[in-house]
Amino acid sequence: MAKSTATPLFWRGLLAAVMGVVSLAWPGITLAVFVVAFSVYALLTAGIDLIRAFSSDRAGPVLGYLVLAALSFATAFGALTWPGATALVLTLWVAAWALVTGIMEVALSFRHGESAGERAMWLLGGLVSIFLGFALAARPDSGAVTLTSVFGVFSILHGAFVLALSARTRRAVQTRGRLVGSH
C-alpha cells in the first residue's frame, strides 16, 4: 500500500511545485488560466443542469434546471468574453470572503473558555484576513496578480511538503522490506 502511495505523491508534489514556479514567473497567464478554469466549471455546471432538467418527470424542476443551465452558460460566456472583468470580480469575491471570515475570527477570539494562545491566534488570523480583504478590495487589479503570486508560493511550499512525504514514504517501505526480509 505505501509503495503504491509514494509514486503518486511524488508526481503530485512535483506538479504542485511546477505550477507554483509557473504562477510566480507568469502571473498574468496564471490569472488567465484561472478565468478559463472558472469558465469550464460554469460550462460543466450548465451541462449537468441540462441533464438534470431532462431527467426529471415534472415540469417544475425541468424549468428550474433549465434556468440554472442558462445562467451557468451565460456566466461561462461572460467570463470568456470579459476575462479582465471576471478576474476583478473573482478578486473582489475573495476580498469579501476574507473580510467576512476575518470579522468572524476576531469575534471568535472573544469567546470564553479559550486559552490566551488560542484567542491570540484567532485574533491574529482574523486581523490578517481583514487586512487582506481591504487590500484586495482597494486595488483589485494588482490584487488579482498578488493572488496568483500567493498561489504560486503556496503551490511551491505544498509541492515541497508532498515531495518530502513521498521520499519519507518510499524510505519507510524500503525499511519495512529489509525488516521483513531479515526475519
Side-chain angles (χ1 to χ4, degrees), residues 6-183:
T7 301
L9 282 174
F10 171 81
W11 289 110
R12 181 177 173 187
L14 186 63
L15 178 62
V18 168
M19 280 181 18
V21 170
V22 168
S23 294
L24 290 175
W26 298 288
I29 292 172
T30 303
L31 192 55
V33 169
F34 283 157
V35 170
V36 169
F38 174 74
S39 299
V40 169
Y41 170 77
L43 282 174
L44 289 173
T45 301
I48 290 169
D49 286 338
L50 281 174
I51 291 169
R52 292 171 89 185
F54 292 112
S55 65
S56 181
D57 58 351
R58 295 187 326 236
V62 170
L63 181 60
Y65 284 125
L66 287 175
V67 169
L68 288 174
L71 288 172
S72 294
F73 182 76
T75 299
F77 179 76
L80 290 174
T81 304
W82 300 289
T86 302
L88 289 177
V89 168
L90 289 172
T91 302
L92 290 171
W93 187 256
V94 171
W97 168 78
L99 283 169
V100 171
T101 302
I103 291 167
M104 293 302 295
E105 288 176 347
V106 168
L108 287 171
S109 73
F110 292 104
R111 288 189 313 183
H112 295 292
E114 303 287 335
S115 70
E118 289 171 332
R119 290 202 298 226
M121 291 306 294
W122 280 110
L123 183 63
L124 181 62
L127 292 175
V128 168
S129 290
I130 290 170
F131 174 76
L132 173 67
F134 277 122
L136 291 174
R139 295 286 314 269
D141 53 342
S142 60
V145 174
T146 301
L147 283 175
T148 62
S149 298
V150 169
F151 173 77
V153 170
F154 171 80
S155 294
I156 290 170
L157 293 174
H158 177 71
F161 172 77
V162 173
L163 286 169
L165 183 62
S166 170
R168 187 173 182 193
T169 302
R170 192 171 307 281
R171 280 193 305 273
V173 167
Q174 291 169 348
T175 302
R176 186 183 69 196
R178 285 192 302 265
L179 290 173
V180 171
S182 67
H183 283 84

